[in-house]
Amino acid sequence: MKLLSRLLLTSLVLGLCACKPTSPESSTPGKPKIALVMKSLANEFFSNMAEGAKKHQAAHSDEYELLVGGIKNETDLTEQVNLVEQMTAQGAKAIVIAPADSKALIPALKRAQQAGVLVINIDNKLDAEVLKQAELSVPFVGPDNREGAKRVGEVLAKKLPAGAEVAIIEGVTTAFNGQQRRAGFEDAMKAAGMNIVAVQSGQWEMEKASNIASGILSAHPNVKALLCANDNMALGAAAAVQSAGKTGQVLIVGFDNISALKPLLTDGRVTATADQHADQLAVFGIEAALKVIQGGASPEDQTTTVDVIEK
């Protein structure tokens, strides 16, 4: 478990940097503030997103100021609601948010919009029905998660015989992107004739996914692949497979293409992942917000690119 221990330590260090919104040392009158609210900065995917946004703001420092905040744990909905309220109180003109939950954040976003804040949804799509009930219109800028997961699953399927036992470790079950990635994996596995013997939630987190993978390997000793809905959980699954002495016998796929996964892709411990370009995802949301703020354009949905990454 040395690999997992090192990765968890890295996550802890990053996690200590999360939660507190950061803002410019001084505010310039006339420049709008755009707030980026993310999920766990302990997840490299979101730290990459934050860095991409900061670089964009540095290159466009005459156009806007950037407020950045994230939560410590993927499921800390209360803290993310607090961040939305803090950003609104700090005078954000727009909030670009990757919601930790597709439904629970909507009341807080409704209050922000009622306060005159433009809301742009990135990464994890808000629930359409709950938005409708709240009479809230929020454009979504992000990838087709179902299609991306399906394409990753198709790469995996080519390496397995029809009928092979596989298991899915999904994200937070109430998150739309998690639901879509699970559906995409299932699409690919069913089309290839695989036998899905287990589906469990690792809640996007490495340690939880490692524990779940260990349980699956014990309960289903003939499992030939673990399909993980993000790379954090793929890293946890790889640690579990290694501990079980099954490296090379159980294939693993992930989603996000974080740098921590690259050594495992190179040596074959992970077969494939999906790159949704984290460093650009927030930038697309920020640019969409700027178009509305600066030019009065109508907020619109925008589908962003997903690429499958193998070795």
Side-chain angles (χ1 to χ4, degrees):
M1 299 292 283
K2 291 182 179 178
L3 168 65
L4 181 59
S5 298
R6 289 198 299 271
L7 293 169
L8 288 174
L9 178 60
T10 301
S11 294
L12 177 59
V13 171
L14 289 170
L16 292 175
C17 300
C19 301
K20 298 292 185 183
T22 60
S23 60
E25 292 183 357
S26 61
S27 180
T28 304
K31 281 199 299 187
K33 294 178 181 177
I34 295 182
L36 175 62
V37 177
M38 295 170 291
K39 294 190 276 184
S40 173
L41 292 182
N43 183 337
E44 183 189 321
F45 178 81
F46 292 104
S47 60
N48 289 341
M49 180 182 287
E51 288 306 310
K54 290 175 181 176
K55 288 180 181 177
H56 183 271
Q57 192 278 330
H60 299 268
S61 58
D62 59 328
E63 296 181 46
Y64 73 101
E65 296 179 2
L66 180 67
L67 309 173
V68 178
I71 54 180
K72 186 174 182 179
N73 300 313
E74 296 277 1
T75 55
D76 195 347
L77 302 179
T78 300
E79 182 59 27
Q80 204 176 39
V81 167
N82 289 339
L83 276 174
V84 170
E85 293 175 346
Q86 290 172 30
M87 299 299 193
T88 303
Q90 289 186 42
K93 191 71 174 179
I95 291 177
V96 178
I97 183 168
D101 186 277
S102 295
K103 299 179 180 178
L105 267 293
I106 290 177
L109 297 175
K110 174 78 171 181
R111 291 193 292 275
Q113 195 176 73
Q114 288 174 331
V117 179
L118 170 67
V119 178
I120 303 289
N121 176 201
I122 62 170
D123 180 57
N124 176 35
K125 194 172 186 178
L126 294 165
D127 187 274
E129 185 58 34
V130 178
L131 282 174
K132 183 178 179 181
Q133 292 172 4
E135 298 181 339
L136 186 64
S137 177
V138 177
F140 175 70
V141 178
D144 185 333
N145 283 278
R146 184 167 186 163
E147 179 62 22
K150 180 183 176 183
R151 289 168 55 198
V152 170
E154 289 172 344
V155 170
L156 176 72
K158 292 177 182 176
K159 299 181 181 297
L160 296 173
E165 293 186 7
V166 302
I168 295 172
I169 301 178
E170 62 178 333
V172 172
T173 56
T174 54
F176 183 77
N177 61 344
Q179 295 166 356
Q180 290 294 292
R181 291 178 196 178
R182 170 182 171 172
F185 285 150
E186 290 176 338
D187 291 342
M189 293 300 97
K190 290 175 182 176
M194 303 302 167
N195 180 18
I196 301 173
V197 296
V199 178
Q200 294 187 45
S201 173
Q203 297 187 321
W204 303 127
E205 295 184 6
M206 193 187 308
E207 185 173 13
K208 289 180 180 177
S210 181
N211 292 334
I212 286 172
S214 294
I216 290 173
L217 294 173
S218 177
H220 303 281
N222 293 320
V223 157
K224 299 302 181 187
L226 298 170
L227 297 93
C228 304
N230 76 355
D231 284 350
N232 249 14
M233 298 193 296
L235 290 168
V241 168
Q242 182 176 329
S243 294
K246 291 192 171 184
T247 300
Q249 301 172 38
V250 178
L251 303 183
I252 299 168
V253 294
F255 200 108
D256 284 342
N257 193 33
I258 62 175
S259 61
L261 196 77
K262 295 186 187 304
L264 285 71
L265 279 167
T266 300
D267 66 22
R269 282 177 288 168
V270 172
T271 300
T273 185
D275 189 350
Q276 54 173 325
H277 306 284
D279 60 335
Q280 291 299 302
L281 196 51
V283 169
F284 294 146
I286 289 169
E287 289 180 340
L290 285 172
K291 284 182 181 178
V292 176
I293 293 171
Q294 296 173 340
S298 299
E300 295 180 348
D301 287 354
Q302 179 182 340
T303 301
T304 58
T305 303
V306 178
D307 295 313
V308 175
I309 307 297
E310 299 182 59
K311 186 174 182 179

